């Protein structure tokens, strides 16, 4: 397989990546045929996957505007993925010029493109780190330089926790990140679930198995299991709900049925 000029030499272009598959769902161009093949296989079982990713991005933008409107000027986006239109720094800095954003991802393509997009933006940077190792994030030079953890931060975990298996204890990782945040901080989160998918669970499981086959298991959790990530937070209205129902800007009934797959919520520390 020919390596595109934008692909870091360190990556294996024959192995699918969840961030590049996500990029494909969103109509991006920074993915390989191996990613597109995996995405198409998953879409054979769940054709609405692109609609789900679009709903995730739309929720993220609404939540960032909400946070900026509440006076939060610092954002930590973990599992940020490959940059696409309407990134966190674009949304936050449009509302609050000078807002500071640190992106975090462990995919070299996502990190490389974030660096390119952020060139010249002194108020945003990217860290190559993994959610499962919170201290690598919190003690990174980028976080220490750009974010003041003694002031409120919006911690974004959008479409990332469902790629962390139970054996890696995602609840502990979220708790460790949360413990470092000042009172008044926000947790912005989305998570996949069988609940809300307009398909029989057995059919949807076919798509889940595609991710298992590429060694990036997709962990579908129940609403109650997802709510546990918000322990220690007060939920912002309307609580933990399907993505189109979180402070919608358009009528939810106009949304594609797949957009209601999984849950989204925002919590505030006291």
């Amino acid at each position: 397989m020919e390596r595109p000029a934008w692909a870091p030499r360190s990556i294996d272009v024959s192995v699918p990546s969840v961030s590049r598959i996500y990029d494909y769902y969103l109509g991006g161009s920074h993915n390989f045929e191996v990613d597109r093949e995996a995405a198409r296989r998953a879409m054979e079982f769940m054709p609405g996957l692109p609609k789900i990713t679009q709903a995730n991005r739309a929720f993220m933008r609404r939540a960032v505007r909400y946070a900026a409107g509440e006076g939060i000027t610092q954002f930590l986006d973990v599992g940020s993925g490959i940059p696409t239109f309407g990134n966190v720094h674009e949304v936050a800095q449009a509302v609050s010029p000078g807002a500071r954003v640190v992106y975090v991802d462990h995919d070299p393509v996502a990190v490389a493109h974030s660096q390119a997009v952020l060139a010249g933006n002194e108020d945003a940077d990217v860290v190559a780190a993994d959610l499962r190792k919170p201290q690598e994030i919190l003690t990174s030079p980028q976080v220490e330089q750009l974010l003041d953890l003694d002031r409120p931060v919006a911690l974004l975990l959008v479409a990332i926790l469902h790629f962390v298996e139970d054996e890696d204890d995602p609840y502990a990782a979220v708790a460790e990140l949360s413990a470092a945040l000042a009172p008044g901080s926000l947790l912005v989160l989305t998570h996949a679930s069988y609940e809300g998918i307009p398909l029989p669970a057995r059919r949807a499981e076919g798509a889940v198995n595609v991710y298992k086959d590429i060694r990036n298991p997709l962990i579908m959790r129940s609403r109650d299991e997802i709510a546990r990530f918000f322990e220690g937070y007060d939920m912002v209205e309307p609580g933990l709900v399907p993505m189109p129902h979180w402070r919608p800007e358009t009528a939810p009934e106009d949304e594609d049925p797949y957009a209601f797959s999984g849950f989204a919520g925002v919590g505030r520390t006291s």
Side-chain angles (χ1 to χ4, degrees), residues 5-144:
W6 50 262
R9 301 296 304 176
S10 59
I11 68 169
D12 184 347
V13 298
S14 68
V15 177
S17 151
V18 293
S19 64
R20 298 194 305 267
I21 291 172
Y22 195 87
D23 177 68
Y24 173 74
Y25 291 149
L26 288 171
S29 59
H30 293 99
N31 47 76
F32 308 137
E33 180 55 32
V34 68
D35 306 307
R36 296 187 285 273
E37 180 183 348
R40 289 190 291 264
R41 283 172 51 212
M43 289 168 62
E44 288 177 8
F45 298 98
M46 200 184 300
L49 280 165
K51 292 295 183 181
I52 297 173
T53 59
Q54 291 164 20
N56 263 283
R57 295 290 297 183
F59 161 76
M60 179 274 288
R61 290 190 288 269
R62 296 196 305 276
V64 169
R65 283 194 289 271
Y66 168 79
E70 291 289 297
I72 289 184
T73 59
Q74 305 186 106
F75 297 81
L76 179 59
D77 184 2
V78 183
S80 50
I82 295 169
T84 59
F85 174 75
N87 292 301
V88 172
H89 73 279
E90 294 170 331
V91 177
Q93 292 172 357
V95 177
S96 179
R100 296 189 164 194
V101 179
V102 176
Y103 294 104
V104 181
D105 209 288
H106 71 278
D107 185 305
V109 171
V111 173
H113 280 283
S114 296
Q115 290 170 334
V117 167
L118 298 174
N121 189 329
E122 295 183 354
D123 293 319
D125 208 341
V126 59
V127 179
D130 194 311
L131 168 61
R132 293 168 293 190
K133 300 177 180 179
Q135 287 305 311
E136 288 187 4
I137 298 170
L138 295 169
T139 61
S140 66
Q142 296 90 335
V143 167
E144 291 186 343

Side-chain angles (χ1 to χ4, degrees), residues 144-166:
E144 291 186 343
Q145 179 177 348
L146 279 178
L147 303 184
D148 177 1
L149 298 183
D150 291 327
R151 295 173 45 240
V153 173
L155 169 63
L156 281 76
L157 299 173
V158 176
I160 180 64
L161 286 165
H162 47 235
F163 291 114
V164 183
E165 297 181 80
D166 289 340

Side-chain angles (χ1 to χ4, degrees), residues 204-243:
E205 191 175 358
V208 172
N209 287 337
V210 171
Y211 283 89
K212 188 182 297 182
D213 290 344
I214 64 171
R215 299 181 182 179
N216 281 285
L218 178 59
I219 311 302
M220 307 292 266
R221 295 188 171 97
S222 69
R223 185 186 183 282
D224 287 345
E225 289 172 324
I226 298 165
R228 282 183 55 201
F229 289 112
F230 286 100
E231 288 185 2
Y233 288 87
D234 297 320
M235 296 302 295
V236 170
E237 289 294 333
L240 186 62
V241 294
M243 292 174 284

